[in-house]
Amino acid sequence: MCDFVVRPYANHPPIAVDAKHWRADGTVDNHRHKVEKLDESLGIKQFAYINLFGTPDQACRYLSQDLTPSDRMHSPVIEVPGLLNPQTGEILKDHLTALLEWMGNQQ
């Protein structure tokens, strides 16, 4: 259902993380099923879909549980298009910062 669960702080709700290695835009066909199962079993309501490789010109997407665009501050889902630039090996700092800020807002 997900690759792992993180709890950034002791009093923070858990976040399901699904790590990807997309070569093209990723799609999540079974997200609704994941939401229902993880909420039932662990009370998880937040999801992070994280791709390993991306480029600086791509932007993180903040989504609703229906995977439609959502307000960043209240979004239960984030899609990170990449954390590493495959050509240079550099960390995509804007993407990492967006992920960390989103995680801090999910309380």
Side-chain angles (χ1 to χ4, degrees):
M1 277 197 264
C2 67
D3 292 314
F4 54 93
V5 174
V6 297
R7 187 182 297 266
Y9 312 103
N11 62 345
H12 195 286
I15 298 171
V17 177
D18 198 343
K20 303 285 184 193
H21 180 34
W22 299 309
R23 294 190 188 275
D25 288 340
T27 58
V28 182
D29 297 329
N30 59 348
H31 177 73
R32 177 56 56 197
H33 176 71
K34 287 182 184 184
V35 169
E36 292 169 1
K37 291 295 186 185
L38 288 170
D39 190 15
E40 283 176 15
S41 62
L42 300 172
I44 294 174
K45 299 181 186 316
Q46 287 83 30
F47 296 83
Y49 292 100
I50 303 171
N51 194 22
L52 179 59
F53 296 114
T55 60
D57 61 319
Q58 297 170 300
C60 293
R61 294 191 321 152
Y62 302 94
L63 306 168
S64 69
Q65 293 293 20
D66 295 323
L67 300 181
T68 58
S70 179
D71 176 274
R72 180 177 77 88
M73 294 296 290
H74 302 100
S75 170
V77 179
I78 187 171
E79 180 186 87
V80 180
L83 293 176
L84 294 173
N85 183 324
Q87 276 72 40
T88 65
E90 293 179 352
I91 294 172
L92 299 172
K93 293 176 187 168
D94 289 346
H95 295 177
L96 182 57
T97 299
L99 174 63
L100 293 173
E101 288 174 352
W102 176 83
M103 289 173 70
N105 288 331
Q106 300 304 309
Q107 297 186 30

